[in-house]
Every structure is written in structure tokens, then in C-alpha cells.
Amino acid sequence: MENYTYGIDVSRWQGAIIDWDKVKNAGKSFVIIKVTEGLSYKMPFIEIAIQQAIQSKAAGFKIGYYHYAHPVGENIESNAASEASYFLNTLQRFPKSDFPLVLDLEDEEMKLLPDETVKWISSFQLTINKSGFELMLYGNKGFLDEHLPLKHSLGNIPLWIAYYPKKFDINQLPSLANGWNSFAIWQYSEV
């Protein structure tokens, strides 16, 4: 287990004040913070994220950021580009990211067909890449397999896979979504 780096995912639910020394003493070295959701996110939640970013960076953590997507089927490319632009514009108030920017794709109300989902993600990625950032995709195998075609062109996007085993064993790696043969991050716990 010493070859792996451990980190945490935080959002408004953890609040603006986190005991970063306690997190560091638990062996964590990076933090990925929820910044935006859809095309609007309540300003108090963004302010919490800013405080989390500033404080975790000051405590010596590597930091990254994610956007929780709400893809819609009308004007797919425009909707994806708008969400990506909203994320990028909001990030101007944050310390620099140490990781690719993350697209969190898990909205259970998403009604896109698999090919539309590929188009949406590709448009989001294009907007992110044009701004000089790389993209990482967050999701779980079941959701991604349900919402993406069996064969697609997204496997080159680094994957942050969510898989919560009943008993964590670093030697029993998660099954990956169709189209990926490796993962960049494995989220193995909700806590």
C-alpha cells in the first residue's frame, strides 16, 4: 500500500472548516473539491469550496476540483460548453489545481442516449482543453456502462472510478467501465 497516494473528496457537506492536520495525520496527501454543479450553484456553497481550497493548500495538500454535471438533451454541445465555462469561470477565484479538472458524471435524472452522452462529454472536454486544462472523468461502472455505448472514444480521458467494496483490499482492484483499461483514482469509500 505504500506505492499509493491517498486523498479525500470534499464538498459543502464537510463545511468550510476542516481539521486539515487530522486529515494529514490520517495519511491523506491530496484533496479534490466540488466547485460547481450544473449551470448554477449557490454562492454560499462556492464560498465554502474556496475556503476549503485555500486552507487545504496552506496545509500542504495537493488540490484539485470537480464539477457535478447535469447534462440535458437539448442543444447538447451548447449545454456542455456552458457547464464547462461556468466551472472554468468560477475557478478563477481558486488556487491553481494540481490535477486535471474533473467532470463528475452521476446525475440519476440524466436522460441522454449513450451517443448523446459521448457528445456531451466530448464538448465539455473540448471547452476545458481549450482553456489549457486536462479533463478527468468521475463515475461508477454501472452508471457509465448504462449511459455510454459499449464502444466509445472516451477511454483516453483519465478515470476516477467510484467503487465501494464491502471490505477494502488494495489487491482487489475495481472493475472498470467499458472503454477504460486503467484508472487514475479509485474512490473506495464514502467517508
Side-chain angles (χ1 to χ4, degrees), residues 9-173:
D9 159 12
V10 297
S11 68
R12 67 184 173 100
W13 299 107
Q14 285 74 39
I17 307 299
I18 295 173
D19 185 343
W20 295 110
D21 287 334
K22 184 176 180 182
V23 174
K24 191 175 282 186
N25 290 336
K28 312 302 187 226
S29 62
F30 71 89
V31 180
I32 301 184
I33 302 163
K34 179 179 178 180
V35 172
T36 50
E37 181 172 331
L39 289 169
S40 62
Y41 197 49
K42 293 181 180 178
M43 190 52 69
F45 301 159
I46 293 172
E47 295 299 331
I48 289 170
I50 291 169
Q51 290 306 309
Q52 291 170 334
I54 291 169
Q55 292 168 9
S56 61
K57 191 73 163 176
F61 289 90
K62 289 189 175 198
I63 59 173
Y65 305 110
Y66 71 94
H67 169 80
Y68 188 100
H70 287 295
V72 296
E74 294 182 26
N75 302 314
I76 291 170
E77 284 105 342
S78 175
N79 172 254
S82 294
E83 285 202 24
S85 293
Y86 174 59
F87 184 32
L88 290 165
N89 289 335
T90 303
L91 281 174
Q92 292 178 13
R93 298 181 55 204
F94 285 73
K96 184 178 182 284
S97 179
D98 297 305
F99 299 101
L101 301 181
V102 179
L103 170 60
D104 181 343
L105 194 64
E106 59 180 315
D107 183 0
E108 293 296 334
E109 296 180 19
M110 187 173 88
K111 303 287 190 244
L112 300 181
L113 297 172
D115 287 338
E116 293 174 326
T117 302
V118 171
K119 189 184 288 187
W120 199 97
I121 294 168
S122 296
S123 181
F124 190 97
Q125 181 183 29
L126 181 62
T127 303
I128 295 296
N129 292 160
K130 282 182 177 177
S131 293
F133 295 96
E134 294 298 316
L135 184 69
M136 181 183 301
L137 183 66
Y138 170 93
N140 69 63
K141 177 178 173 41
F143 185 90
L144 294 174
D145 286 351
E146 177 183 345
H147 292 280
L148 292 172
L150 183 59
K151 294 186 179 198
H152 57 78
S153 60
L154 303 173
N156 63 330
I157 299 174
L159 180 65
W160 172 2
I161 189 80
Y163 170 70
Y164 310 137
K166 289 183 173 133
K167 183 173 186 250
F168 175 70
D169 180 348
I170 195 66
N171 297 310
Q172 294 183 352
L173 300 178

